[in-house]
């Protein structure tokens, strides 16, 4: 029997999906588990809009109940702060902020 050597087959390397190229000097964004900056800004805008609606309703109700303008404005201001704070608190508990 002649001297025969058995060579194993060469390993095949599989490549993963291609990675998209980034512009020179740019870095890839780091993914985080929390909300993005845009989502946080939108959450704050929603809180401010809810506060504005609450202030308008408080102003209209106090004027309808024949309160003076100063009392109505004060009531609207406190309602704005209260509703905005409440909505921000709820958003923080939900993990939006």
């Amino acid at each position: 029997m002649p001297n025969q050597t058995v060579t194993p087959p060469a390993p095949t390397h599989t490549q993963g999906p291609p990675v998209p190229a980034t512009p020179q000097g740019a870095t890839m964004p780091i993914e985080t588990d929390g909300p993005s900056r845009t989502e946080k800004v939108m959450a704050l805008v929603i809180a401010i809009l809810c506060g504005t609606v609450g202030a308008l309703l408080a102003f209209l109700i106090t004027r309808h109940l024949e309160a003076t303008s100063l009392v109505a404005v004060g009531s609207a201001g406190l309602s704005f702060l209260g509703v905005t704070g409440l909505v921000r608190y709820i958003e923080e508990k939900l993990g939006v902020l």
Side-chain angles (χ1 to χ4, degrees):
M1 213 167 139
N3 190 2
Q4 292 181 350
T5 59
V6 178
T7 58
T12 57
H13 297 288
T14 58
Q15 294 180 350
V19 177
T22 58
Q24 193 173 24
T27 59
M28 294 291 287
I30 300 172
E31 293 184 20
T32 59
D33 293 333
S36 68
R37 184 176 184 165
T38 303
E39 291 170 342
K40 288 182 180 182
V41 169
M42 290 303 296
L44 289 175
V45 168
I46 289 171
I48 291 172
L49 288 176
C50 289
T52 304
V53 169
L56 179 62
L57 288 174
F59 182 79
L60 291 175
I61 290 171
T62 52
R63 287 300 290 166
H64 178 72
L65 296 174
E66 299 178 1
T68 63
S69 296
L70 183 61
V71 170
V73 169
S75 166
L78 289 176
S79 295
F80 174 80
L81 292 175
V83 171
T84 303
L86 177 66
V87 171
R88 281 195 61 219
Y89 177 78
I90 292 171
E91 288 173 345
E92 286 175 2
K93 290 299 177 184
L94 292 176
V96 178
L97 285 179

